[in-house]
Amino acid sequence: MDSSTTLIAVTIAVALLFDFTNGFHDTANAVATAIATGALRPKVAVAMSAVCNLAGAFVSVEVAKTISGGIIDEHAGIRPPVILAALAGAVLWNLVTWLLGIPSSSSHALVGGLIGATVASVGLHGVNGTAVVGKILVPAALSPLIGGLVAYAATRAAGRLSGPEPGGDGAGHGAVHGTGPAAGHGAGRGARAGQVLAAALVSLAHGTGDGQKTMGVITLTLVTAGSLPAGSAPPLWVIAAAGLTMALGTCTGGWRIIRTLGTGLTRLGPRQGCVAQTSAAAVLLTTSHLGFAVSTTHAVTGSVAGAGLATPGGVLNRATVRSMLVSWVLTLPAAGLVAALAVLLTEQGAWGQDTTAALLLGATLAFWVRSRRTAVTARSVAPEAAAATASTTAATTAAA
């Protein structure tokens, strides 16, 4: 195997590593509220999400085309070493935010890495600024707002039509195990069933959107290496590899971010959780069809916040909101800076590329070892969610 073939293989492997981190990093987007309200058990939730992520990878390739030939000019002299550096920036940012339990955007980490590496290698002319603004930055700003407004309006409408959250406290905080009348239990079961379906839709949308981003990067690698003509759609094997890798990553959980998004941002009952996830799924499926590289994290977080604020007495955790907003602003430049620095190594030849891959592997292992010191598991997520909801319900009842 010659050096160019080895480089392509290593770059594809690192792209799949990013895909794996995307799977466990963004699992929370689909299942956190379903776990928090008791609609799904944690391990069942991530298993369902993994299957839907895999299915979503085969739905469309429009976002993959945006990544492979939209934001980066394929004719600007971009080569596989640049893509390897871009992936290094994206993977490291995913690991940092995962360890901190911050729901940041894997999509924007990847885009930031691509932009930073491209600018460092060939200059600004290698980046399609119009596509970055129109298909990345504008959707990034609008998707949480649209998801939040839709979820807010739908939650208010559902409250007026159906009354207080079934089995909840009348303020929108649904009890996981309600003790209300039979009708309330039936409505509560219906809301939880709807939330399961909504979680599946978000997972499908995540596979359709985020799964394609890795497909786009691998396709871009093959195009820059001359293995595919410019403008090519992802080959079937690329679609299958990206879908399977993301599904495997999803199966590992991502419990830190699930804890943050499930109970750290706001409190949702089954009905609000169903509305939030349905709103997010609608935004994600629509934008994926249009080829916009929208962040699943942004759309879901906006929808969860909107549903939480629409409930009487609903509030957002300011500290969580602040940390999330800071991470959202920093994602593109931080991943881009790391990628730009990595270019200094990857463009030195085979030894630099091997060193980059080795450093990335070492950093991944170091983050995993560090995470074991304060492990968050499936066993700890569900009891925390149930205890938090029960505590809120008890406090409201005592105040009344």
Side-chain angles (χ1 to χ4, degrees), residues 290-400:
L290 295 173
F292 295 128
V294 168
S295 165
T296 306
T297 301
H298 288 194
V300 173
T301 302
S303 297
V304 169
L309 289 175
T311 62
V315 295
L316 301 181
N317 185 315
R318 293 184 180 181
T320 301
V321 171
R322 185 165 51 250
S323 65
M324 290 172 61
L325 289 176
V326 169
S327 75
W328 291 4
V329 171
L330 291 179
T331 295
L332 279 166
L337 177 60
V338 173
L341 293 174
V343 165
L344 299 177
L345 270 178
T346 61
E347 293 196 329
Q348 298 303 313
W351 73 267
Q353 295 148 19
D354 292 343
T355 301
T356 300
L359 289 173
L360 186 58
L361 179 59
T364 301
L365 292 174
F367 276 107
W368 181 81
V369 170
R370 177 62 182 82
S371 73
R372 295 297 88 197
R373 297 181 186 175
T374 53
V376 180
T377 66
R379 290 184 179 181
S380 60
V381 169
E384 284 180 15
T389 305
S391 175
T392 302
T393 302
T396 305
T397 302

Side-chain angles (χ1 to χ4, degrees), residues 15 23 29 36 43 52 56 94 99 107 111 114 135 139 172 184 190 216 220 239 253 279 324 382:
N29 299 320
K43 291 187 177 180
C52 293
N94 269 0
L99 185 64
S107 306
V111 171
L114 285 170
K135 293 200 170 186
L220 180 61
I239 297 174
S279 302
M324 290 172 61

Side-chain angles (χ1 to χ4, degrees), residues 114-223:
L114 285 170
I115 293 174
T118 299
V119 171
S121 177
V122 302
L124 285 171
H125 72 276
V127 178
N128 185 339
T130 301
V132 170
V133 173
K135 293 200 170 186
I136 306 296
L137 298 181
V138 172
L142 293 181
S143 59
L145 294 176
I146 294 173
L149 289 172
V150 171
Y152 182 91
T155 301
R156 297 283 291 191
R160 286 194 295 269
L161 292 173
S162 306
E165 179 78 58
D169 54 24
H173 304 303
V176 175
H177 302 290
T179 56
H185 280 299
R189 285 194 296 271
R192 281 189 282 271
Q195 194 174 8
V196 172
L197 177 60
L201 282 174
V202 174
S203 298
L204 183 73
H206 180 254
T208 303
D210 283 43
Q212 289 185 57
K213 297 176 178 88
T214 299
M215 299 176 207
V217 169
I218 295 176
T219 302
L220 180 61
T221 301
L222 295 173
V223 168

